[in-house]
Amino acid sequence: MSPSKSRAKPSGTDQLADSGAMIDLQVMSGTMGPDVIDVRKLYAETGKFTYDPGFTSTASCESSITFIDGEEGTLLHRGYTIEELTEHGSFMETCHLLLFGELPSKSEMLEFEHDITMHTMLHEQLYNFFKGFRRDAHPMAIMCGVVGALSAFYHDSTDITDEHQRKIACYRMIAKMPTIAAMAFKYHIGQPFIYPRNDLRYADNFLRMCFAVPAENWVNRPALSHAMDKIFILHADHEQNASTSTVRLAGSSGANPFACIAAGIACLWGPAHGGANEAALSMLAEIGSVDRIPEYIAKAKDKDDPFRLMGFGHRVYKNYDPRARVMQASCHEVLEEVGVKNDPLLQVAIELERIALEDDYFAEKKLFPNIDFYSGITLKAMGFPTSMFTVLFAVARTVGWIAQWREMIEDPHQKIGRPRQLYTGEPPRAYVPIDKR
Ligand code: CMC
């Protein structure tokens, strides 16, 4: 039997019902969203597990940070819509909101920004760490390595049982990620590292560390900083997605927060998750012109072709991704600012979106553009190479990861994450000595 084929067989109707053994399972309700069936005592009482690969029907935890209604296409952070946060707020405000549950007052905001900026620099020894990488290393490979190494440098914030240390670890992660990301970029392109400047706002500081060179004066472009800040807010958190679940699972064993965030970065790298913006831009470039779109739509619909429309579809959104609308508007603003009126990739994207949205295949499967559909074009116009796209996603998502990690550690019901399995391998058999095989 091919190893890729499932060996599991349906084993008849539910034996619980057959044997008449009924157990009561408690139904729990949150403030919004579907109720959940509490199956914690299921195995103890019935000897059976639930089977849910990909966790399509499983709530892995209780959380009060982010809520998504995939049918409606809404995204709330602590009750505020993503549209309101991107229109009126700043990324720092969103960080405070995600971490502490409330939008900050003016004085809280000043204190929070001050405390974060006090951690933007890296231990000087870390600069040597970068030099161990090949110059052509993918910046995400550098991110995995350097962020994983942080725990070797900041011993005074790795005790997860100490509330103060947990808070400092959160601040350090939010503050240092732009510095590390910009350094990964500079190293990749062979330019000198630019140190952070604490008199600049978060997005300005990041853009300067990425694009300033010692030979020239760096001039801030408010429209680009504004767009960068919005992109950070849009990616800040997204409930129990693959990378966040990875951070929680890693953290459930008591691992230090820096190691957990490195695990999240590794997960984010995949093309089905954070790598999709890079993949979406490559796809638009490959399509190249509007007249080739039907060919690619046909490929996406062909069951025998593994090609998918990158930047389309979402596990949770079965409606337009609300972040995609904001991203689309930002994309137009950035292109205008950098003077690209008729970007060919944007033309392909707009037409591809139009054709796909009118196509029955995409309508029936509820496939809509997601945030990654327009973010690649926007980031490219801002001057980032495609290899940096997922890195930028990681910078923004760090606050979500660390807020979810902190929430998990402070949850009294928290246990090590340990899923079970449906075993389909060999039953016990006798060992055969090598000369008898
Ligand atoms: N193009 C063509 N067909 C698709 C696509 C697509 N982009 N996405 C899903 N489908 C089809 C798929 O073939 C399947 O068809 P069938 O039922 O006939 O087998 C059906 O739609 C359901 O797909 P699925 O893979 O079972 O759905 P999922 O919830 O497991 O996957 C997804 C969600 C995001 C991985 C998937 O839609 C995808 O691969 N999209 C492209 C990659 C992408 O844009 N990812 C970014 C996600 S948003 C950013 C983030 O949160 O990281």
Side-chain angles (χ1 to χ4, degrees):
M1 178 180 286
S2 134
S4 63
K5 280 210 178 132
S6 169
R7 303 178 70 164
K9 295 185 184 67
S11 57
T13 50
D14 188 330
Q15 294 213 316
L16 282 179
D18 281 349
S19 62
M22 304 290 280
I23 62 159
D24 288 330
L25 294 173
Q26 202 194 340
V27 174
M28 297 161 73
S29 302
T31 43
M32 294 174 81
D35 289 346
V36 302
I37 302 167
D38 181 352
V39 294
R40 279 176 291 185
K41 63 178 186 181
L42 190 71
Y43 177 59
E45 296 200 3
T46 69
K48 287 181 178 169
F49 297 138
T50 56
Y51 179 65
D52 186 19
F55 309 121
T56 52
S57 294
T58 296
S60 61
C61 63
E62 192 181 316
S63 179
S64 60
I65 300 177
T66 292
F67 176 76
I68 302 171
D69 185 331
E71 297 300 326
E72 290 295 317
T74 48
L75 166 61
L76 307 178
H77 292 317
R78 306 279 193 188
Y80 298 99
T81 65
I82 192 67
E83 288 86 352
E84 279 208 290
L85 290 171
T86 43
E87 194 178 338
H88 307 296
S90 68
F91 180 61
M92 274 294 100
E93 235 180 24
T94 303
C95 288
H96 188 284
L97 179 68
L98 291 172
L99 272 179
F100 302 116
E102 294 298 337
L103 288 169
S105 66
K106 270 190 186 159
S107 61
E108 285 167 341
M109 185 68 196
L110 282 175
E111 190 185 333
F112 182 65
E113 276 193 292
H114 170 268
D115 291 350
I116 294 285
T117 50
M118 285 305 104
H119 292 287
T120 52
M121 283 177 57
L122 292 182
H123 190 293
E124 195 63 18
Q125 189 66 20
L126 259 170
Y127 292 81
N128 296 328
F129 204 88
F130 281 82
K131 302 208 172 105
F133 288 96
R134 282 169 52 142
R135 285 277 176 190
D136 60 357
H138 194 290
M140 279 300 275
I142 301 182
M143 296 300 289
C144 289
V146 175
V147 173
L150 290 179
S151 52
F153 291 84
Y154 300 102
H155 304 284
D156 58 346
S157 52
T158 52
D159 178 358
I160 64 161
T161 63
D162 179 330
E163 191 185 339
H164 179 68
Q165 290 202 26
R166 286 201 298 273
K167 188 169 129 182
I168 297 299
C170 294
Y171 284 12
R172 280 189 166 140
M173 279 314 316
I174 297 168
K176 292 185 198 302
M177 276 297 271
T179 314
I180 298 170
M183 286 169 67
F185 177 44
K186 287 297 198 189
Y187 187 76
H188 186 61
I189 59 174
Q191 288 185 3
F193 297 141
I194 302 290
Y195 282 76
R197 250 184 51 192
N198 288 351
D199 59 326
L200 296 177
R201 310 299 299 273
Y202 195 85
D204 288 336
N205 180 43
F206 177 61
L207 290 175
R208 180 181 164 275
M209 287 191 290
C210 287
F211 296 118
V213 287
E216 281 172 25
N217 254 346
W218 181 76
V219 184
N220 168 27
R221 293 172 79 173
L224 297 188
S225 311
H226 186 63
M228 190 79 259
D229 200 68
K230 250 188 202 178
I231 291 171
F232 285 156
I233 302 174
L234 287 175
H235 290 87
D237 191 44
H238 214 220
E239 211 232 57
Q240 307 310 321
N241 57 83
S243 57
T244 302
S245 299
T246 302
V247 170
R248 279 186 178 258
L249 193 56
S252 75
S253 72
N256 73 72
F258 305 108
C260 298
I261 301 298
I265 294 172
C267 178
L268 185 74
W269 197 355
H273 191 6
N277 50 14
E278 190 174 336
L281 193 76
S282 309
M283 177 194 73
L284 293 174
E286 190 185 313
I287 298 175
S289 59
V290 168
D291 56 301
R292 295 191 63 202
I293 292 174
E295 185 192 324
Y296 281 84
I297 294 273
K299 271 165 76 64
K301 288 159 58 173
D302 182 354
K303 278 246 158 280
D304 299 322
D305 190 325
F307 174 79
R308 284 185 169 200
L309 276 194
M310 298 314 283
F312 253 78
H314 198 275
R315 168 61 61 81
V316 182
Y317 293 120
K318 301 303 168 200
N319 201 326
Y320 211 99
D321 176 346
R323 303 167 304 167
R325 278 189 218 287
V326 182
M327 197 67 246
Q328 190 195 44
S330 263
C331 182
H332 286 289
E333 281 162 28
V334 167
L335 290 177
E336 187 138 326
E337 167 67 19
V338 299
V340 181
K341 290 255 180 317
N342 297 310
D343 183 62
L345 293 184
L346 182 64
Q347 285 172 355
V348 173
I350 291 172
E351 191 57 11
L352 182 61
E353 179 185 347
R354 191 189 64 75
I355 295 176
L357 288 180
E358 285 175 1
D359 193 296
D360 286 348
Y361 172 91
F362 294 91
E364 276 160 21
K365 295 189 187 300
K366 299 186 177 174
L367 299 169
F368 293 87
N370 59 52
I371 186 168
D372 293 316
F373 195 65
Y374 285 102
S375 63
I377 305 173
T378 317
L379 296 172
K380 177 173 172 274
M382 290 173 81
F384 289 105
T386 46
S387 58
M388 277 297 286
F389 293 177
T390 318
V391 174
L392 295 165
F393 193 156
V395 171
R397 183 56 59 86
T398 293
V399 62
W401 288 331
I402 204 76
Q404 299 261 357
W405 168 83
R406 189 162 166 261
E407 181 182 63
M408 179 195 69
I409 297 293
E410 292 173 9
D411 180 350
H413 297 119
Q414 189 265 327
K415 275 177 182 249
I416 185 168
R418 178 40 169 109
R420 301 304 300 268
Q421 62 175 9
L422 173 63
Y423 176 69
T424 54
E426 296 296 335
R429 48 182 171 162
Y431 178 83
V432 181
I434 194 158
D435 53 343
K436 301 249 165 54
R437 279 175 226 157

